[in-house]
Each structure stands twice: as C-alpha cells, then as structure tokens.
Amino acid sequence: MIEIERWRKAAIQAPLLAAMTTHSALCACAQTVQPPRRVIEILADHDSRYKIQSQKQPVITVKAGEQIVLRITAKKAKNQNRDGSIHGFSLLRAKDRKPVPDWDFLLKPGTQEFTAAAPSEAGEYVVVCTVICSQDHEGMMMRFVVVP
C-alpha cells in the first residue's frame, strides 16, 4: 500500500516538475541580457579635490544615456554636514549651470557606489561639490563630457 502511494505521488509530481523546469528555462531565455555597467573610480579627497587615477586633470567621458556606476571614495576635509556628509557630487550643465536630475549625491566617509544614466544630451558638464568641505571648497570641481 505504501509503495502504491509513493508511485501515485511521483506520477503526479513528475509532470508538474517538468512544466516548472520548462517555464523557468523559457523565462530565462526571454530576459534581455544587460551589458555590464562601466565602473568609474573617483576619489573625493581631503584636500577638496576630485581625483581619478592616472589623470592629472580629472575628466569623465561617457556616451549619451550610458549606464555607469560611480565608485566614489570620500576622505574627510575640514567640515561636514549635519547628516555626516563630507563632500557632494552634483552634475551641472556647463552652459547654464543647471543641475542634471538624479545627479546629486552626498558622500559620507568611505567608499560608496551610485548607479546613474549619463545625460542624453551630448556636451560639456561640470561636477561640483555641494558640501562646504573646507576653505578650498569652491575649487572642488571636475569636467564631465557626454559624447553622442
């Protein structure tokens, strides 16, 4: 009797398991594969300067609409915000200094990652610090170029 019951359960479960496996395989094939996002490493340094390794004058160049990951390491300058932010990272259009939506990040000590889409409009932009981090705060900026 026990063997018959086991056989009956297996007979019911086998088609169900096969259907679930087929469905999972179809779903996996239907998903679009996203290209890996480019990671851009930036240092927001204690001397109130943005730095990129191997660049004397840091410039970020991206394609219009490109999805990127900003990996920013922030080191404390003299001052900080009440929320503990020690630097800011905000993108402005160079021609009129208007902020780019979704491009205003507050940086706390250590390394943080931000995922963002590059502006769709090609042209010159500027990254500025939005936290008064030291007396040299006004000089904390970097070029950001969007190519078509």
Side-chain angles (χ1 to χ4, degrees), residues 59-103:
V59 177
I60 296 173
T61 303
V62 296
K63 292 180 182 174
E66 180 182 0
Q67 291 287 321
I68 59 173
V69 174
L70 300 169
R71 183 176 296 143
I72 306 173
T73 300
K75 294 190 176 179
K76 187 172 189 246
K78 296 195 183 255
N79 303 321
Q80 67 184 39
N81 275 355
R82 287 184 183 171
D83 69 355
S85 300
I86 57 174
H87 293 292
F89 189 98
S90 187
L91 189 62
L92 309 175
R93 292 190 326 196
K95 61 185 174 186
D96 58 12
R97 305 290 279 188
K98 287 194 176 180
V100 175
D102 301 321
W103 274 85

Side-chain angles (χ1 to χ4, degrees), residues 1-11:
M1 182 76 164
I2 295 174
E3 285 300 315
I4 293 173
E5 189 62 31
R6 277 190 203 158
W7 179 83
R8 192 171 66 84
K9 282 183 181 179

Side-chain angles (χ1 to χ4, degrees), residues 5-123:
E5 189 62 31
R6 277 190 203 158
W7 179 83
R8 192 171 66 84
K9 282 183 181 179
I12 292 170
Q13 290 175 349
L16 179 60
L17 182 58
M20 288 172 56
T21 303
T22 302
H23 176 74
S24 296
L26 289 173
C27 288
C29 292
Q31 294 176 350
T32 57
V33 176
Q34 296 292 327
R37 293 187 172 130
R38 184 164 56 119
V39 177
I40 300 170
E41 303 257 356
I42 303 160
L43 174 62
D45 214 350
H46 67 278
D47 62 358
S48 296
R49 296 288 179 261
Y50 294 113
K51 297 176 182 175
I52 297 177
Q53 188 172 7
S54 303
Q55 291 187 18
K56 191 170 191 160
Q57 297 293 321
V59 177
I60 296 173
T61 303
V62 296
K63 292 180 182 174
E66 180 182 0
Q67 291 287 321
I68 59 173
V69 174
L70 300 169
R71 183 176 296 143
I72 306 173
T73 300
K75 294 190 176 179
K76 187 172 189 246
K78 296 195 183 255
N79 303 321
Q80 67 184 39
N81 275 355
R82 287 184 183 171
D83 69 355
S85 300
I86 57 174
H87 293 292
F89 189 98
S90 187
L91 189 62
L92 309 175
R93 292 190 326 196
K95 61 185 174 186
D96 58 12
R97 305 290 279 188
K98 287 194 176 180
V100 175
D102 301 321
W103 274 85
D104 186 26
F105 310 116
L106 291 174
L107 309 175
K108 297 197 175 180
T111 302
Q112 299 167 132
E113 286 190 0
F114 303 94
T115 301
S120 57
E121 183 181 337

